[in-house]
Amino acid sequence: MTGQAAQQQANQQQVNQSATQADPAVVVREAGEADVETAATLFRGYLDFYEVDVEDPDAPRAFLAERIAKDESLVLLADVPGHGTVGFAQVYRAFSSLTLTTAWILNDLYVAPSGRRTGAGRALLREVLRRARAAGVAGVQLETAYDNTVAQGLYEAEGFVREEFHVYFHDLGAATSAEG
C-alpha cells in the first residue's frame, strides 16, 4: 500500500470512528427562503474572511436568495444552543467526467467567530458528506486558501485528501447574474 493510500485509509477510519462522536448539541438544517437574512449575514462574514470587496451590501443576500429560490445550491445552517445560527455551508451540484457521475462542490463553509470551537464546522461538513452519500454522489470537492490551516486540518481529519492538481482561474471581470 502506498503512503497516500495508507493515509487515506487511516483518515477514513478516523472519520468512521468520529462520525458517531459528533456534537449532538449542533443542529444542522437546510436553509429555506425564510432563512435568507440569517444565511446572508454569515455569507457576508465569509466574504469578509476572504477579503472580498462587495460594493452593493445587499448583493450577498440577493445572491443567496436566488440560489435558494432556484434550487441551484444546497445551503445548510448550523445552530448551536446559546450561540444561535453560527455557520453555513453552500454546495453546488456538478458532474464528473472522470467518473461519469455527479459530484458536489462544497464551495463555501464558514463559522462565525462566536461559533468557532463548538463543533459547528465539523457538523456542517459531516452533513454535507452524509447528504452526498445518500444522493449517490461520487465525491465532494472543496478548496481553501493555502494559509487556512485550521480548515485544512478539519478537512483532512474528515477524510478529504489534498489533490495533486493545480487550480487555475481566468478572471473575466464582474459578471452579473443575468450574464450567467
Side-chain angles (χ1 to χ4, degrees), residues 67-83:
R67 300 292 76 73
I68 292 170
K70 292 182 175 183
D71 193 30
E72 293 177 338
S73 69
L74 167 66
V75 177
L76 300 174
L77 298 173
D79 298 321
V80 176
H83 296 275

Side-chain angles (χ1 to χ4, degrees), residues 4 8 98 139-143 146 156 159-167:
Q4 186 176 18
Q8 286 177 325
L98 298 178
V140 177
Q141 176 182 336
L142 60 81
E143 58 186 65
Y146 286 111
E156 291 171 10
F160 283 81
V161 176
R162 188 183 313 247
E163 292 286 329
E164 295 183 18
F165 291 93
H166 290 278
V167 176

Side-chain angles (χ1 to χ4, degrees), residues 33-53:
E33 292 183 21
D35 297 302
V36 168
E37 291 302 325
T38 300
T41 298
L42 291 163
F43 189 36
R44 281 188 287 275
Y46 170 80
L47 294 171
D48 289 344
F49 178 82
Y50 279 105
E51 299 176 353
V52 175
D53 196 19

Side-chain angles (χ1 to χ4, degrees), residues 42 85-88 110-116:
L42 291 163
T85 304
V86 298
F88 91 106
Y110 174 77
V111 176
S114 65
R116 294 189 183 146

Side-chain angles (χ1 to χ4, degrees), residues 74-142:
L74 167 66
V75 177
L76 300 174
L77 298 173
D79 298 321
V80 176
H83 296 275
T85 304
V86 298
F88 91 106
Q90 182 165 215
V91 176
Y92 296 108
R93 297 157 191 96
F95 298 96
S96 170
S97 299
L98 298 178
T99 62
L100 304 177
T101 188
T102 56
W104 282 5
I105 299 169
L106 175 53
N107 207 73
D108 314 311
L109 192 148
Y110 174 77
V111 176
S114 65
R116 294 189 183 146
R117 308 201 58 78
T118 64
R122 186 175 306 274
L124 284 163
L125 189 58
R126 288 181 178 172
E127 183 62 12
V128 167
L129 294 172
R130 186 194 70 74
R131 287 175 183 243
R133 281 186 198 97
V137 171
V140 177
Q141 176 182 336
L142 60 81

Side-chain angles (χ1 to χ4, degrees), residues 55 64 74 82 146-147 164 179:
E55 290 180 26
L64 279 179
L74 167 66
Y146 286 111
D147 62 350
E164 295 183 18
E179 295 174 28

